[in-house]
Amino acid sequence: MYTFQEVDAAYTPSFSLPFPQTKLYAHIQQTQGLTTKRFTISKDTAIIGYFQIIIYPLIANKTSIYIPYGPVLTETSEDLVSELSKFLKIIGQKERAVFIRTDFSGITPTLFPKQYKELPGFAYKTAFHQPRGEWLLDITPAADELLAQMHKKTRYNINKSLKQNLETTFFVGKNIEPWADTFVALNDQNTKDHGTTTHPKEYFKSFFTLASESSDNFIAITRKEGHVLAINIFIRTGNSVFCPFGASNDLGKKLGAYYHIKWSSIKYMKDHGVRIFNWGGVSVGMHDEYLQGVTKFKTGFGGEQQVHPPLHDIIILPLWYAVYMFRKFLKQ
């Protein structure tokens, strides 16, 4: 009834995909030495699902597989999820995987077969996991309507930033890449200030290089008297734009550069036909506590949250899986 088929890197399904299931995300993982593969799910002759896997090396020639914000399904049923789990086990065995970590969007928890194991809290603390929540803002209303629906403190901070003689400019396509080093420097400072973790600088440089290959993508840079205060990078897919990364320095925070850059970017997107602005990760539970600060900032602009289900593993090698999880527990 259901057919699963591996497809090449050029394939894109007709339905929309979250950013971690796009070709750009796959290319970035490949620059870090990881292997990616993608598959379609068909019912009769219609494609009803798609997923992209990222293969991570473990010890002793073993691997783990992650399907970030996927598999993406346009319909669900108990039979489909059961058949999918069987196919994923075949993939896992072929790739010498200890487990396959799934990150379903929009699936009813009661559909998960018993072979899907829900992760304990400590196992979420891994750099490559996608947040459980994202914040979406419909930017089709007029600018004054968008301002009216914001929290009063957000409106106040936007208006305050507009009085600071800040300038936000936009760079598209090939003009994105030259700003990679500046972004890395700002991001490193952010990381030190907040005591958080981040990607290696080569990851960001690869990201900027690959993002620059499409004229749909752009960056916003907020400056005062020529000094860079904040940078955001935006990835467009259809009528939606996703902001995966942003950074600012201490002076930018004092002057409200992040309010200036976001409000200027929203107006820019409106002028270019964007309908939905995806702010990225927000805190929706105990697994996203590290996002509480940025969540307060994002939600102040209005919008709604999209909550993703808990992570589930398909265990391929039980003994190796027990060892892996024990080490994760010790490292928490």
Side-chain angles (χ1 to χ4, degrees):
M1 184 177 182
Y2 298 103
T3 303
F4 304 89
Q5 182 177 353
E6 183 173 356
V7 293
D8 62 31
Y11 176 83
T12 301
S14 58
F15 43 86
S16 61
L17 296 173
F19 175 67
Q21 285 291 308
T22 62
K23 290 184 285 187
L24 175 57
Y25 188 86
H27 291 164
I28 294 165
Q29 306 313 307
Q30 291 161 11
T31 66
Q32 305 305 302
L34 301 175
T35 300
T36 67
K37 295 184 178 182
R38 56 234 104 244
F39 302 84
T40 57
I41 306 169
S42 300
K43 180 180 180 181
D44 298 325
T45 60
I47 293 177
I48 61 167
Y50 174 87
F51 62 95
Q52 175 169 270
I53 67 173
I54 316 295
I55 303 173
Y56 295 87
L58 296 177
I59 61 173
N61 202 33
K62 300 294 188 297
T63 69
S64 66
I65 295 175
Y66 182 41
I67 311 177
Y69 284 169
V72 179
L73 307 174
T74 60
E75 64 176 67
T76 59
S77 69
E78 187 173 349
D79 286 343
L80 171 56
V81 177
S82 178
E83 289 300 310
L84 176 58
S85 68
K86 294 176 184 177
F87 181 71
L88 291 177
K89 277 200 168 185
I90 294 172
I91 294 175
Q93 291 164 355
K94 181 180 178 181
E95 301 296 341
R96 308 177 309 282
V98 174
F99 62 89
I100 297 179
R101 187 152 293 169
T102 59
D103 203 354
F104 284 105
S105 295
I107 189 171
T108 305
T110 55
L111 289 178
F112 285 107
K114 291 182 179 179
Q115 56 262 50
Y116 286 80
K117 177 179 176 61
E118 184 172 344
L119 261 63
F122 66 83
Y124 281 78
K125 296 181 180 180
T126 302
F128 58 78
H129 285 157
Q130 303 302 311
R132 294 303 84 209
E134 294 182 285
W135 194 254
L136 307 180
L137 176 63
D138 179 357
I139 61 172
T140 56
D144 57 347
E145 294 180 51
L146 289 173
L147 282 168
Q149 72 185 23
M150 294 179 188
H151 191 281
K152 62 181 180 180
K153 288 186 178 179
T154 300
R155 286 197 304 273
Y156 170 80
N157 284 314
I158 289 174
N159 291 327
K160 182 179 177 181
S161 74
L162 295 175
K163 298 175 183 177
Q164 299 296 328
N165 296 319
L166 304 182
E167 178 188 22
T168 295
T169 52
F170 299 90
F171 298 86
V172 178
K174 291 299 182 183
N175 294 318
I176 293 174
E177 186 175 9
W179 291 97
D181 287 331
T182 305
F183 176 86
V184 168
L186 282 178
N187 186 69
D188 284 347
Q189 189 59 54
N190 269 357
T191 302
K192 292 175 183 177
D193 290 344
H194 298 284
T196 55
T197 59
T198 189
H199 296 286
K201 66 178 181 179
E202 293 304 323
Y203 180 95
F204 289 116
K205 288 186 176 182
S206 297
F207 194 106
F208 271 63
T209 298
L210 292 167
S212 71
E213 294 178 359
S214 172
S215 59
D216 288 335
N217 304 326
F218 61 95
I219 59 173
I221 299 178
T222 298
R223 289 174 279 196
K224 181 168 185 176
E225 298 175 354
H227 298 289
V228 176
L229 304 177
I231 299 179
N232 281 185
I233 185 165
F234 299 90
I235 307 300
R236 181 167 183 170
T237 55
N239 293 323
S240 175
V241 164
F242 173 59
C243 181
F245 300 116
S248 65
N249 58 23
D250 285 339
L251 178 58
K253 292 180 176 69
K254 292 176 183 177
L255 297 177
Y258 237 56
Y259 288 94
H260 196 281
I261 200 170
K262 283 299 195 292
W263 179 236
S264 299
S265 297
I266 287 170
K267 292 190 292 182
Y268 177 88
M269 286 185 274
K270 284 178 61 64
D271 291 342
H272 289 79
V274 176
R275 299 182 62 84
I276 300 295
F277 176 28
N278 184 338
W279 294 73
V282 291
S283 177
V284 295
M286 65 179 182
H287 304 315
D288 297 314
E289 290 178 344
Y290 65 98
L291 291 171
Q292 287 181 354
V294 296
T295 298
K296 186 176 181 180
F297 170 78
K298 294 174 181 179
T299 56
F301 283 79
E304 59 184 16
Q305 67 182 17
Q306 177 181 358
V307 180
H308 297 274
L311 295 170
H312 287 76
D313 285 346
I314 297 177
I315 302 171
I316 310 298
L317 299 174
L319 181 59
W320 280 96
Y321 185 78
V323 172
Y324 171 86
M325 294 298 281
F326 182 66
R327 290 190 62 182
K328 289 292 295 181
F329 176 76
L330 294 178
K331 289 182 178 180
Q332 69 173 318

